[in-house]
Amino acid sequence: MAKTLLITGASSGIGAATARAAAAAGWSVALLARSKDKLDALKGEIGEQALSLPCDVTDRDELKQAIDTAADHFGGLDAVFANAGTGVSSPGVENGDPQEWHAMIHLNVLAVLTTAHASLPHLRKTKGHFVVTGSKAGRDHLKGSVYGATKWFVQGLAGNLAEEMREWGGRCTVITPGMVDTPFFDEPKPDKIQPEDVANGVLFAISQPDTAAVREIHIMPND
Ligand SMILES: NC(=O)c1ccc[n+]([C@@H]2O[C@H](COP(=O)([O-])OP(=O)(O)OC[C@H]3O[C@@H](n4cnc5c(N)ncnc54)[C@H](OP(=O)(O)O)[C@@H]3O)[C@@H](O)[C@H]2O)c1
């Protein structure tokens, strides 16, 4: 039976590219994001292997329901990619917008944590894999970056979760790209990392033999 990968932020950029790559490699994919139209279009492109589950991952009940529905539909979850995330339009701390921080921290920090909380009972059954999108901005210090600080949380959580999951044979990987050419930015970035490059990294991590736990994949643009 095909293995199943659940992806948050599957409607565009890195998440959509990972859904396409995983499906091409024979995985079933559960697609989570708010944009029903985009998820349905992606499901139409991939076919029966895909399940579209529109939801807001900052809503704990909606998120848990979507994760449980995916596990029921496919008969379990082998891997979960917590990838939904956002930045802010007002940079810096002194000049930042606390309201924007609230929404970003809810998505980049709390929703990653609740995605893990709701999916671990399923992953425990399969000795499964949790992958999360960090960033170069979560490994380096960038002037005034509150976004970067949310990714430092992700970096820390991923290592701690890897230690928790290894007790039952589970694995956790943080993937930390530099700039990726996605709708995260208003302008195209053709010379930067392509979303398919990040998808390749995710597939590499979740396709390793049981003896290898890939803890981090760091990808930089080659321009
Ligand atoms: N692009 C880069 O340079 C870069 C570099 C390093 C790390 N990252 C990280 O990569 C991840 C993916 O970003 P991307 O570059 O692929 O950007 P993107 O194309 O803007 O994708 C963001 C995804 O998150 C989803 N999302 C946002 N809010 C959501 C919510 N409340 N509930 C459910 N889904 C939500 C969006 O879908 P809906 O709007 O349909 O909900 C979309 O599918 C993020 O964590 C980002 O921080 C990006």
Side-chain angles (χ1 to χ4, degrees), residues 54-155:
C55 68
D56 183 337
V57 299
T58 63
D59 181 313
R60 279 207 307 252
D61 295 334
E62 277 188 30
L63 174 63
K64 183 175 180 334
Q65 194 177 7
I67 290 173
D68 291 347
T69 301
D72 279 352
H73 180 85
F74 290 115
L77 295 178
D78 299 282
V80 169
F81 183 25
N83 164 73
T86 190
V88 284
S89 44
S90 313
V93 174
E94 188 174 354
N95 295 321
D97 173 356
Q99 204 55 43
E100 256 195 336
W101 297 341
H102 204 274
M104 177 177 67
I105 289 169
H106 201 167
L107 182 63
N108 293 11
V109 173
L110 277 176
V112 166
L113 206 43
T114 49
T115 301
H117 182 67
S119 55
L120 283 174
H122 298 292
L123 294 176
R124 182 183 276 275
K125 291 181 193 152
T126 56
K127 291 195 168 75
H129 205 133
F130 190 81
V131 183
V132 58
T133 310
S135 174
K136 176 183 186 291
R139 308 167 92 247
D140 298 344
H141 292 284
L142 304 178
K143 186 177 75 173
S145 178
V146 181
Y147 168 78
T150 68
K151 295 299 186 179
W152 278 87
F153 171 86
V154 167
Q155 186 82 15

Side-chain angles (χ1 to χ4, degrees), residues 7 10-27 29 31 38 41-42 45-46 49 195-196 199 203:
I7 302 169
S11 63
S12 84
I14 293 168
T18 304
R20 289 188 183 98
W27 290 70
V29 285
L31 313 172
K38 291 186 191 162
L42 186 56
E45 186 189 318
I46 293 173
Q49 266 168 280
E196 294 75 19
L203 264 292

Side-chain angles (χ1 to χ4, degrees), residues 154-175:
V154 167
Q155 186 82 15
L157 177 72
N160 295 354
L161 193 52
E163 292 302 325
E164 181 176 325
M165 292 177 73
R166 73 184 291 198
E167 289 188 347
W168 42 263
R171 288 174 278 189
C172 180
T173 304
V174 60
I175 187 145

